[in-house]
Amino acid sequence: MAMKRSERAKIFMPFSPLNNFYEALKQKERVITPKSELADERIEELDAVLHTLSGGDMAEVVYYNNGVYEKVVGCVALIDVLEKTITIAKTKIFFDDIYDLKAL
């Protein structure tokens, strides 16, 4: 009896029983960094740059996210003053988490 084509394809699909294990190891390897407190002068500098940005501008942001500092470069989609967030390239960042901000 011949095997159906869809069943035959399953035989050759990759199998990785330890996939979740490798993801857990990556999380363990990540070094947690405490969030830095910014000086008042630095906060004012970031605020000044933030006020120069508008939707469609290019920007580079270094921000604190779950124990690590990350960098995103992209187009400013939205600056929400009420929520105190900036959205760059589909990444929503709270103003308080911003470490560095540059208009490009």
Side-chain angles (χ1 to χ4, degrees):
M1 184 157 112
M3 189 181 290
K4 290 183 181 180
R5 187 172 231 167
S6 62
E7 291 176 11
R8 182 173 159 75
K10 289 179 186 176
I11 295 172
F12 300 102
M13 291 181 69
F15 177 69
S16 178
L18 299 176
N19 200 19
N20 290 336
F21 175 72
Y22 295 127
E23 290 298 321
L25 278 179
K26 285 181 186 176
Q27 291 296 327
K28 284 284 188 184
E29 291 174 354
R30 191 174 85 174
V31 177
I32 304 295
T33 305
K35 187 175 179 181
S36 298
E37 292 296 321
L38 300 177
D40 291 338
E41 297 84 24
R42 183 70 183 135
I43 293 171
E44 289 175 11
E45 290 172 9
L46 294 174
D47 189 50
V49 174
L50 192 61
H51 278 83
T52 64
L53 293 173
S54 62
D57 292 344
M58 291 293 291
E60 177 182 300
V61 180
V62 176
Y63 65 101
Y64 190 77
N65 183 26
N66 294 325
V68 294
Y69 282 95
E70 297 182 6
K71 179 168 83 169
V72 65
V73 178
C75 186
V76 175
L78 177 69
I79 298 175
D80 189 339
V81 180
L82 295 177
E83 274 191 37
K84 296 184 179 182
T85 61
I86 183 171
T87 304
I88 297 179
K90 297 184 182 180
T91 303
K92 189 175 187 178
I93 304 165
F94 287 95
F95 292 166
D96 291 341
D97 292 335
I98 296 174
Y99 182 75
D100 191 26
L101 176 63
K102 296 177 187 168
L104 302 176

